[in-house]
Amino acid sequence: MDVNAAVAAAAAIAGVCTGVIAMLAFRWSERDQKRPTRTSLHTDPVLPPGVDTVLSVLRSSAVVLDEADSVVKASSAAYALGLVRGGKLAVEPMLQMARDTRRDGEIRQVELDLPRRGTGRGDALAVSARVAPLGSRLVLLLVEDLTEARRIEAVRRDFVANVSHELKTPVGALSLLSEAVMDASDDPEAVERFAGRMQIEATRLTNLVQELIDLSRVQNDDPLEDAEPVRVDELVAEAMDRCRQQAASKQITMAAGGTADLNVWGNRGQLAAALGNLVENAVNYSPARTRVGIAARRVTAPGGDLIELAVTDQGIGISDKDKERVFERFYRVDPARSRATGGTGLGLAIVKHVAASHGGEVTVWSSEGQGSTFTLRLPEAAAGSPGPRKTTASGPGNVRDEDDAHGPDSTTAYASTPAPEVLP
């Protein structure tokens, strides 16, 4: 019994000692984990109070770097631009700016062109980077994307240059012709010939100024403020009357079909101008004794029925490379032919903006030597309906100037289907 009691006592003492040792080891490990180490101080610094909140509301991309150039805080926009990868700042010029600012405390700013990664596009990403010290050990980098601002500025600059060039041509011709008339004052036949040329140039100048006004109007006005149901047959009749004289002089037959009992919702004047431009182009670019057709039909779409107006000609057609640019301002497939017909290169740009501002689209099918079909699709106005609700995407204030940007995200689509037949 004494031996068993001694064994039991020894076992109890051993158990108590083991428990005490385990408890001390646990407490030591816990205290060791809570103790700040050099590594934890280096990789997880604390942002100054309020900085995190301020960075979350900034529109610019924000990155905070510590003394080892590791990223402490980065906004989602910084990741989207590809500035931060793997917890590091991936743009070497910006990283060098941060190091220089950390060394001397001076604020630095620079504009950079960065390659677009993973998009396959050759254009660069234009950004403005600003670096400033944030406390004693942190550096703040703010990056603003300037790509869209530069694109819009380039569009405006090109537009002004094109307008200046287009205005200079007829104005210069009028100046020369007026001098010729003065020099030929004693030759009635020459005066009559030069006066006729002056009248042609004056008409071209008038048309150019009017189309510039029309383009500005469709870009700035809201077509749905004064919108109304517009009968398609009336639009077609007005467009044909506008071009009847030119068609008769070239013995071109114009025919329309399928327009009865169809209505679209929008600004009547803008819709008439858009369809008239399509018909006028078809007549101007068609050879003599051919046919221009206008077909209308109702098509079903997920957001509601659309009215499709297709203008088909038997003209010279458009090449694939030109189809990508025909809706640009002042772009002409055949500049010499456009000069001869008095074209300004603004007609299709007006059509594009009218279609987009009305919540529709314009497409083109064409084959060289076989003619072209321009199709205008617009929301249908049902009988007694107040018209389609204007959405943010289709509002005129949101129509981008992609006709000069050559980008794939243009509101203009290019159809690959054959041209529809025109009803007799």
Side-chain angles (χ1 to χ4, degrees):
M1 292 294 293
D2 294 338
V3 174
N4 293 334
V7 172
I13 294 173
V16 171
C17 292
T18 303
V20 172
I21 294 173
M23 184 181 64
L24 292 175
F26 175 77
R27 292 291 182 88
W28 181 270
S29 175
E30 188 179 38
R31 187 175 62 177
D32 187 65
Q33 289 179 0
K34 292 182 178 180
R35 182 184 301 165
T37 62
R38 181 172 300 179
T39 303
S40 63
L41 288 174
H42 172 70
T43 59
D44 190 23
V46 179
L47 291 175
V51 172
D52 196 11
T53 303
V54 173
L55 295 182
S56 65
V57 299
L58 287 177
R59 297 183 61 183
S60 304
S61 302
V63 181
V64 178
L65 304 175
D66 63 11
E67 65 270 22
D69 294 333
S70 296
V71 176
V72 177
K73 177 78 175 180
S75 63
S76 57
Y79 286 99
L81 289 178
L83 303 179
V84 179
R85 284 197 286 285
K88 295 290 185 180
L89 186 61
V91 183
E92 184 60 32
M94 296 181 186
L95 187 58
Q96 187 59 47
M97 288 174 57
R99 292 168 179 168
D100 294 340
T101 296
R102 186 184 301 112
R103 186 181 64 251
D104 55 26
E106 292 186 4
I107 298 176
R108 288 175 169 81
Q109 183 171 356
V110 67
E111 292 188 2
L112 300 171
D113 291 332
L114 307 179
R116 292 181 183 266
R117 299 181 181 274
T119 61
R121 298 174 61 179
D123 51 343
L125 188 69
V127 299
S128 174
R130 185 178 179 87
V131 181
L134 188 64
S136 59
R137 295 181 297 107
L138 303 179
V139 173
L140 173 63
L141 171 66
L142 296 177
V143 180
E144 185 173 357
D145 188 357
L146 303 178
T147 307
E148 184 66 11
R150 285 193 181 182
R151 187 195 67 80
I152 294 175
E153 181 60 30
V155 168
R156 291 174 178 171
R157 185 171 56 252
D158 292 343
F159 181 72
V160 171
N162 287 330
V163 169
S164 301
H165 175 75
E166 294 297 329
L167 290 175
K168 182 179 179 180
T169 301
V171 169
L174 287 173
S175 177
L176 293 175
L177 288 170
S178 64
E179 293 180 4
V181 168
M182 293 178 62
D183 294 339
S185 57
D186 56 347
D187 187 349
E189 184 177 348
V191 169
E192 183 177 358
R193 184 173 68 255
F194 292 141
R197 289 291 306 278
M198 290 179 67
Q199 188 174 17
I200 293 174
E201 295 298 334
T203 301
R204 177 175 297 170
L205 182 60
T206 301
N207 292 339
L208 176 58
V209 172
Q210 183 59 51
E211 291 203 343
L212 286 171
I213 295 173
D214 293 341
L215 180 60
S216 176
R217 183 173 298 151
V218 300
Q219 286 180 317
N220 296 326
D221 291 351
D222 186 350
L224 301 185
E225 285 185 355
D226 301 320
E228 60 180 338
V230 182
R231 293 178 52 180
V232 172
D233 55 355
E234 293 179 356
L235 289 178
V236 172
E238 186 174 340
M240 294 175 66
D241 289 341
R242 169 178 169 178
C243 307
R244 199 172 300 279
Q245 183 176 355
Q246 297 99 304
S249 64
K250 299 174 66 175
Q251 299 180 17
I252 292 177
T253 302
M254 292 190 296
T259 62
D261 301 324
L262 297 179
N263 297 276
V264 293
W265 187 267
N267 183 291
R268 179 186 179 88
Q270 292 189 14
L271 294 175
L275 185 60
N277 286 346
L278 293 179
V279 176
E280 186 176 13
N281 275 0
V283 171
N284 287 338
Y285 285 90
S286 294
R289 294 178 294 278
T290 56
R291 179 186 177 94
V292 170
I294 308 172
R297 64 173 181 171
R298 180 186 292 106
V299 295
T300 302
D305 290 346
L306 300 175
I307 300 300
E308 191 175 84
L309 294 166
V311 180
T312 304
D313 63 59
Q314 298 173 324
I316 58 176
I318 306 172
S319 65
D320 290 339
K321 67 179 182 65
D322 288 324
K323 277 192 291 187
E324 298 178 357
R325 301 189 61 187
V326 291
F327 292 95
E328 295 177 20
R329 301 172 185 145
F330 299 110
Y331 184 79
R332 299 181 177 92
V333 175
D334 186 351
R337 188 180 184 91
S338 295
R339 294 288 184 185
T341 59
T344 62
L346 290 175
L348 292 180
I350 293 175
V351 175
K352 171 190 168 179
H353 281 282
V354 170
S357 63
H358 281 75
E361 66 173 355
V362 59
T363 63
V364 57
W365 172 92
S366 185
S367 180
E368 289 187 274
Q370 298 183 22
S372 306
T373 296
F374 286 85
T375 303
L376 186 62
R377 296 183 182 91
L378 299 166
E380 181 183 19
S385 169
R389 293 175 60 88
K390 189 182 83 168
T391 61
T392 302
S394 61
N398 295 283
V399 178
R400 296 178 62 191
D401 291 331
E402 295 295 338
D403 44 8
D404 294 293
H406 317 302
D409 55 340
S410 171
T411 55
T412 303
Y414 303 100
S416 58
T417 56
E421 295 183 0
V422 179
L423 298 178

